[in-house]
Amino acid sequence: MVVSRPGPQIYSIAAHRGFADALVAGLIPRYADPHLGLARLTLLLPNRRVVRTITEAFVRASDGTNGLLLPRMAVVGDLDLDETLGPLLDPLGTASDIPPAADPTYRWLRLAQHLTDLGDMRFASGAARLRQARLIGQTIDRLRAEEIDPLSLMSEDILGLIGDSAAHWQDSTRLFLRICAAWQMDLAARDEVDAPTRRNRLFDHAAQQWKADPPAFPIVAAGITSASPALARLCQVVAHLPNGAVILPDLDLNLADEVWAQLGRAGVGENPDDPPFGRDDALTHPQYHLKLLLNRMAIARDEVRPWHRAGMSAAAPARSKAISNLFLPPAASATWASLSGDQRKLAGVRLMECDNPGHEAQAIAILIREALEQSEKRVALITPNRPLATRVVAHLQRWDIAADDTAGRPLSQTAAGRVMLLLAEIMAEQAAPVPLVALLSHPLVGAGETRADWLDHARQLDLALRGPRPAAGLEPISALLSARAEKHARPALVAWWDAVATILAPVLALNATVEEPVLADLLTALASAASALCGEDRLWAGADGRALSSFIADLSAQAVPLGTRLAASDMPSFLRQEMDLIAVRPPWGGHPRVAIYGLLEARMSRADLTICGGLTEGSWPAAPAPDPLLPPAVLRHLGVAGADFRIGLSAHDLAGALGAPEVVLSWAKRDEAGPARPSRFVLRIAAMLGGDQAGKHIQPLTPIYARQIDIGHAVPAHPRPQPMPSAAQRKVDISATALDRLRSDPYQFYASHILKLSRPDALDATPTAAMQGSAAHLILDRWHKAGAAPAMLQAIAEEELDKMSAHALMRALWRPRLMAALEWIARQVTTQTRDEGRRVLDSERDGSMWVDGIKIHGRVDRIDALPDGKLAIVDYKTGKPPSAKMVQAGYTLQLGTLGLIAQAGGFADIAGAPEKFEYWSLAKKDDAFGFVSEPIRKNPDKGILREDFLPTAKRFLDDALARWINGQEAFTARLNPDIGGYNDYDQLMRLDEWLGALDRETAMTQP
């Protein structure tokens, strides 16, 4: 039996009751039919997510013992969620004269085409046009939802406001008007309207039909918070139907009349000429949008009644009064000082401050785990911070708790979405190493019985591509893999790559042949390559694959007739931007008592413990984003609420969450960017409670547990590594450069020469100093061996640097310095040859000798013949050469060792006693690039004398061989830590665990 009363049937469910459960608890006794149950009832709900929430509430109310026929649930649609109307309000084949709505994807692409026709250079690229077209479409929808014709901007009043705006606002508004005019002609030619216009007309059509002929079945509009004029008129009709009702979420019926008035005019001025929204309107108040809805429904707040079970009354508890006081407007909040403790008491609400988002996620996971220890207790996490939600889901897996984030994940972050994005990057960057290796190692690519072989080949490709990026395209990669396959006897590697290259070739061809290919062709090529690499049964089968397939099919279908074009280089950013807008939601199957919601999903939900996470300014509430096209003054004059309006919606979401029996409000002091400010809502709570009361609401222990949960048992400090290989293992050849490493850090020699470990270069690596040095050596070697004229050095250098596909930064910064230094070398060599009779014998010559049964080998950068038949050993340095003190201490023995090899006749066909030992540095000195230095000093107190140079090198060499190679001394890590060198093996030796604990005198012990 329906309980009726005179006037509109309009109700409100207080925050503390939980909207969904309270709604169902009142609907069942009011509208249940003895035979059909609730099947004759029609519920008008905001969106499909609320349908799911209400369905779950009906299941709980049925207690599982008796069957329950559910009411018909019709969706009025939500523009924010890009949802269409349900079939009740938008029936197929409707007999009304309402035109169909333009396809949103078609409109988006068509608006971009109009931007192309304008020839505005700000939108020269296809990606820029598509981004701007989406913004224009959003602004059109925003105006249409408020029943504002975009072309009404041409009125004299609006043009005057535009003329008073800044230049950029004038430009953007003119552009908007031109595009709107062109789009209006398109709509007229196609006999279509924008989706919000059709929505408004359908609302009015239903309202007129129900008002003229009230339906026999009851209609209830529940949970609607949108205040669009057409929807407000529909709700007004529903509220006056004989069997109708409108039920609002958390309309504050206890708010004082003077405070209600302070919220502002909310769409209704004292005279018709007043703008709908005043400058002093409290747009950020959680009740403002409800006041706007009531005003547009022409219903006074006094006509709204509390919703409760039929025949029962409900009293507002202290929590609801405190929530009402919490969000008072600025002027009214001055009464906080005089409020009694009961009026600002937030029993059951706790505040939790964490150090950073990771710490916060761990603390929230612990709260959820603790709550699940209590039988039948339901817990919900509400947060607009999707990375925080993802972290919490991961932390809960520690306890095998599968928690679904019902807000979903962006398509770009799913497995199928990543395949498409990686292929787009490969297309844009012409098979750059990083996206190529990432794609071929992707879990969906090459999966199946041959997955192990596939990953082995991908690993070989990874190793081959280490270092600076090769030339663009697939052919240079084929050459690298062919060489690697021949070297390591892997013929299957070439066959595997040929198959992969065949799949990727059409993708790269589009970028190479056409400046702006057709968008549909780009999508088809990417989808075909993805299917070939992954297999259709794996790529398109899951929820993410189906979402990706729908996205590509819809976009391609609309792009083909329009001929939309886009540069291949813009595809990664374009796809990522569009796929970020598509949420892939998990199927059913998560933990039945754990829910993770975004703000939209959390509306009307209910849990015994509600955790509101990510309560930092800019996250909850989000930073207001003004319309990028129209000036705020113009929007206000037209009657469109300002950007702060959404802050009020966020406040309403928090007010609803505060109604749960237990609430934890959580935030972090820092985020990824630096210090973070607590949300203004948190600050209001602390201010209302006062210092003493706020301290009582702190959640003290959980953050401590979150810090300690991953702290393991204390373990002894790792000792300083001192490996002792066997005598046979020690018998290794020693290069001239490795001798320095052996004496300064024996462990690094042990790792590189005995264990044969080396750190690979990074993919697409920026050229390091070592790579730059190798390039310089290669250039000079070619020049010396060719015996070319000095003028040819520059040409050789240009050719070799082009072969390296040098990084742009290297080209801009290092290349000019190198060229200047090479010019100095050419002049220096020419001068020495002409004036001193010195000539170059060879460059990059290998030599060796045997000492105590150990082969000592090295490569000399250059050997010169002096006029008296003696030799000069030259070592090229791209940086600063070693100091004389380092040479004297025995830590830079390369020149001396090479001199010993020359003295022993270790360089074939080169005879003579080494006399000079020179470093030719390409670095800058005295405002010029290039200088020569010798590690020889005339004063024995300042370095080594020339006659002592080789004997000193021999003494250090014999000492090293006797101690480590032929002896039994341990290869101690960082034997001399103050000696600079490579750090390739610091992690292997666990350096940070023991270096700080060393006694300085022990650490600095000299051999």
Side-chain angles (χ1 to χ4, degrees):
M1 178 179 178
V2 178
V3 179
S4 63
R5 60 180 175 82
Q9 302 289 319
I10 184 164
Y11 304 91
S12 173
I13 297 177
H16 71 276
R17 299 192 60 202
F19 187 88
D21 291 325
L23 173 68
V24 170
L27 289 176
I28 292 176
R30 279 180 170 84
Y31 297 102
D33 183 274
H35 303 290
L36 297 177
L38 297 170
R40 292 173 57 85
L41 170 65
T42 295
L43 284 179
L44 300 182
L45 300 174
N47 52 65
R48 288 189 294 271
R49 305 183 195 185
V50 175
V51 171
R52 175 173 172 174
T53 302
I54 299 299
T55 301
E56 292 172 346
F58 273 111
V59 171
R60 290 192 293 271
S62 68
D63 68 26
T65 57
N66 299 312
L68 184 65
L69 292 177
L70 296 180
R72 184 182 187 183
M73 301 185 198
V75 173
V76 299
D78 193 326
L79 284 174
D80 289 338
L81 300 178
D82 195 24
E83 287 189 347
T84 57
L85 298 178
L88 173 68
L89 297 174
D90 191 4
L92 297 175
T94 177
S96 68
D97 58 353
I98 302 174
D103 183 88
T105 303
Y106 172 83
R107 182 185 70 172
W108 170 43
L109 299 179
R110 182 60 175 150
L111 293 177
Q113 197 171 57
H114 285 311
L115 285 170
T116 304
D117 296 339
L118 289 179
D120 194 326
M121 293 308 297
R122 291 176 299 174
F123 314 110
S125 71
R129 292 193 295 268
L130 289 168
R131 282 194 297 269
Q132 187 70 10
R134 185 168 292 283
L135 293 176
I136 293 174
Q138 291 171 351
T139 301
I140 291 175
D141 285 346
R142 190 177 180 189
L143 295 177
R144 292 290 191 190
E146 295 294 326
E147 299 182 336
I148 300 171
D149 184 355
L151 297 182
S152 65
L153 292 169
M154 295 183 182
S155 67
E156 292 184 6
D157 294 344
I158 301 300
L159 291 176
L161 289 173
I162 295 173
D164 295 336
S165 302
H168 74 280
W169 283 124
Q170 297 179 29
D171 292 341
S172 64
T173 306
R174 282 195 292 266
L175 174 68
F176 178 72
L177 284 172
R178 295 174 68 182
I179 298 299
C180 284
W183 172 240
Q184 195 64 41
M185 296 175 63
D186 290 339
L187 289 176
R190 295 168 62 91
D191 193 22
E192 294 178 340
V193 293
D194 288 309
T197 301
R198 175 174 172 80
R199 183 191 304 261
N200 292 340
R201 294 186 184 182
L202 287 169
F203 285 156
D204 287 339
H205 174 74
Q208 294 169 7
Q209 190 177 41
W210 291 346
K211 187 175 182 179
D213 184 15
F217 53 85
I219 297 179
V220 174
I224 293 174
T225 57
S226 172
S228 64
L231 184 54
R233 291 192 295 269
L234 177 64
C235 291
Q236 181 186 24
V237 171
V238 171
H240 287 88
L241 291 175
N243 291 324
V246 174
I247 306 168
L248 302 176
D250 190 26
L251 175 67
D252 191 352
L253 301 178
N254 299 312
L255 199 64
D257 291 339
E258 60 272 17
V259 177
W260 181 259
Q262 289 178 17
L263 298 185
R265 59 176 63 129
V268 178
E270 295 181 1
N271 58 71
D273 295 331
D274 288 340
F277 302 100
R279 289 183 176 273
D280 297 328
D281 280 13
L283 296 176
T284 60
H285 194 277
Q287 296 293 309
Y288 186 86
H289 64 290
L290 295 177
K291 181 175 183 179
L292 178 60
L293 177 60
L294 288 177
N295 286 346
R296 287 178 171 175
M297 291 174 64
I299 292 177
R301 187 172 61 117
D302 295 341
E303 298 180 273
V304 183
R305 298 290 180 266
W307 174 261
H308 46 78
R309 296 183 183 182
M312 298 179 62
S313 62
R319 177 80 68 81
S320 289
K321 293 180 180 178
I323 294 173
S324 178
N325 290 328
L326 172 64
F327 291 104
L328 288 174
S333 61
T335 60
W336 286 350
S338 59
L339 291 177
S340 64
D342 292 340
Q343 291 176 307
R344 56 182 179 181
K345 185 177 182 181
L346 286 171
V349 177
R350 292 169 286 168
L351 308 177
M352 187 171 72
E353 183 179 68
C354 301
D355 298 332
N356 51 64
H359 182 217
E360 182 182 7
Q362 185 67 271
I364 291 173
I366 291 174
L367 286 174
I368 295 174
R369 178 65 180 86
E370 181 183 22
L372 294 180
E373 286 295 309
Q374 303 179 39
S375 176
E376 299 184 2
K377 186 172 184 178
R378 288 181 293 145
V379 57
L381 166 63
I382 303 173
T383 179
N385 188 331
R386 303 330 307 158
L388 176 65
T390 302
R391 280 184 166 128
V392 172
V393 171
H395 283 308
L396 288 174
Q397 293 176 357
R398 177 197 295 262
W399 301 291
D400 293 329
I401 297 173
D404 292 334
D405 182 1
T406 55
R409 297 173 60 195
L411 178 58
S412 59
Q413 297 180 14
T414 63
R418 285 298 301 158
V419 170
M420 188 63 61
L421 286 176
L422 288 170
L423 276 168
E425 291 181 27
I426 290 172
M427 170 190 286
E429 300 182 34
Q430 287 290 290
V434 173
L436 180 61
V437 172
L439 173 68
L440 298 180
S441 304
H442 191 282
L444 292 180
V445 175
E449 295 180 358
T450 60
R451 176 67 173 169
D453 292 336
W454 181 280
L455 289 179
D456 180 58
H457 295 322
R459 175 59 176 160
Q460 294 301 316
L461 172 66
D462 183 358
L463 293 174
L465 293 178
R466 294 283 169 160
R469 178 186 298 192
L474 301 173
E475 291 77 9
I477 300 176
S478 299
L480 286 173
L481 286 184
S482 297
R484 185 172 185 84
E486 183 178 352
K487 179 179 179 181
H488 298 281
R490 287 178 170 267
L493 178 61
V494 175
W496 171 81
W497 172 249
D498 289 342
V500 171
T502 302
I503 295 172
L504 296 180
V507 174
L508 272 67
L510 284 173
N511 190 6
T513 56
V514 185
E515 183 177 354
E516 277 199 347
V518 176
L519 176 59
D521 293 343
L522 293 172
L523 293 172
T524 300
L526 293 177
S528 299
S531 296
L533 289 170
C534 302
E536 295 187 2
D537 56 334
R538 286 186 295 271
L539 180 63
W540 311 109
D544 56 342
R546 291 190 294 271
L548 179 62
S549 174
S550 177
F551 164 70
I552 294 175
D554 179 49
L555 188 54
S556 297
Q558 300 300 333
V560 167
L562 291 173
T564 304
R565 293 181 174 273
L566 185 69
S569 58
D570 291 332
M571 278 298 286
S573 60
F574 165 73
L575 286 179
R576 184 176 291 105
Q577 176 181 320
E578 298 309 314
M579 291 163 66
D580 280 344
L581 303 176
I582 302 173
V584 180
R585 290 179 176 81
W588 297 82
H591 197 286
R593 293 192 286 131
V594 178
I596 299 179
Y597 299 120
L599 296 187
L600 293 174
E601 291 77 19
R603 293 172 185 171
M604 306 172 196
S605 63
R606 182 67 168 169
D608 300 300
L609 169 62
T610 296
I611 304 168
C612 299
L615 276 165
T616 55
E617 197 67 20
S619 177
W620 189 352
D627 191 287
L629 298 176
L630 300 180
V634 171
L635 292 173
R636 187 166 54 248
H637 186 86
L638 290 171
V640 179
D644 289 345
F645 184 74
R646 292 195 175 274
I647 295 179
L649 295 177
S650 296
H652 189 259
D653 294 331
L654 181 61
L658 287 172
E662 296 180 52
V663 181
V664 175
L665 306 179
S666 172
W667 69 94
K669 294 185 289 186
R670 296 183 63 86
D671 59 16
E672 289 80 359
R677 290 185 301 165
S679 167
R680 65 187 69 184
F681 304 144
V682 172
L683 298 179
R684 288 183 70 88
I685 291 173
M688 188 189 75
L689 292 174
D692 295 339
Q693 287 293 327
K696 296 178 181 178
H697 287 264
I698 296 296
Q699 177 86 8
L701 295 179
T702 306
I704 297 176
Y705 297 155
R707 294 188 191 98
Q708 296 178 346
I709 191 170
D710 290 323
I711 297 178
H713 298 291
V715 296
H718 191 272
R720 186 183 195 179
Q722 295 181 330
M724 290 285 292
S726 65
Q729 291 172 326
R730 293 171 182 260
K731 302 293 184 180
V732 294
D733 299 343
I734 300 179
S735 66
T737 55
L739 185 61
D740 299 340
R741 182 176 297 187
L742 175 61
R743 290 184 47 78
S744 61
D745 191 348
Y747 185 90
Q748 290 203 39
F749 180 91
Y750 165 77
S752 61
H753 285 68
I754 296 179
L755 297 183
K756 304 296 184 183
L757 300 177
S758 62
R759 186 175 71 177
D761 295 325
L763 281 171
D764 208 350
T766 300
T768 62
M771 296 178 187
Q772 295 173 3
S774 298
H777 281 70
L778 183 60
I779 292 169
L780 292 169
D781 181 46
R782 277 192 57 188
W783 181 61
H784 289 309
K785 283 185 166 56
M792 294 298 297
L793 183 55
Q794 290 278 0
I796 294 173
E798 294 285 352
E799 183 180 339
E800 289 298 330
L801 289 178
D802 288 339
K803 287 181 182 178
M804 289 178 62
S805 298
H807 192 275
L809 185 63
M810 177 181 174
R811 291 180 180 273
L813 299 181
W814 184 66
R815 188 171 187 152
R817 300 166 63 91
L818 173 64
M819 293 302 184
L822 292 178
E823 290 179 0
W824 169 81
I825 290 179
R827 291 195 303 270
Q828 187 76 3
V829 171
T830 302
T831 300
Q832 289 180 342
T833 302
R834 183 185 65 243
D835 299 342
E836 302 176 15
R838 180 169 167 173
R839 56 191 177 85
V840 178
L841 293 178
D842 204 352
S843 61
E844 300 297 328
R845 170 67 75 91
D846 292 325
S848 63
M849 65 178 180
W850 289 86
V851 179
D852 295 338
I854 303 300
K855 183 179 180 181
I856 312 299
H857 61 90
R859 174 175 293 179
V860 65
D861 292 346
R862 198 179 90 208
I863 298 182
D864 290 355
L866 300 176
D868 58 1
K870 295 183 179 180
L871 303 177
I873 308 296
V874 177
D875 187 22
Y876 291 124
K877 296 292 184 184
T878 55
K880 184 179 179 181
S883 66
K885 290 186 177 180
M886 291 290 290
V887 176
Q888 188 176 27
Y891 296 119
T892 52
L893 300 174
Q894 181 181 2
L895 269 184
T897 305
L898 292 173
L900 292 174
I901 295 174
Q903 189 180 54
F907 295 108
D909 303 326
I910 295 179
E915 174 68 18
K916 286 192 173 183
F917 307 92
E918 298 174 343
Y919 293 114
W920 284 41
S921 175
L922 280 65
K924 192 173 185 180
K925 182 179 181 181
D926 297 333
D927 297 328
F929 288 98
F931 62 91
V932 178
S933 67
E934 275 195 288
I936 304 298
R937 295 293 182 267
K938 295 180 180 180
N939 188 339
D941 295 334
K942 296 182 178 180
I944 304 176
L945 300 177
R946 187 175 302 277
E947 59 270 18
D948 295 333
F949 185 72
L950 291 182
T952 301
K954 183 65 166 61
R955 175 168 56 85
F956 284 128
L957 172 61
D958 292 341
D959 176 74
L961 295 178
R963 293 170 61 188
W964 289 290
I965 305 303
N966 294 324
Q968 296 296 319
E969 189 162 330
F971 288 81
T972 305
R974 287 296 173 93
L975 183 62
N976 298 283
D978 283 353
I979 304 301
Y982 298 98
N983 56 2
D984 293 351
Y985 305 97
D986 285 358
Q987 184 178 10
L988 183 65
M989 68 174 68
R990 299 167 69 169
L991 179 70
D992 293 338
E993 298 183 36
W994 52 264
L995 182 61
L998 285 181
D999 178 81
R1000 182 169 180 80
E1001 292 184 3
T1002 303
M1004 293 300 297
T1005 299
Q1006 299 296 323

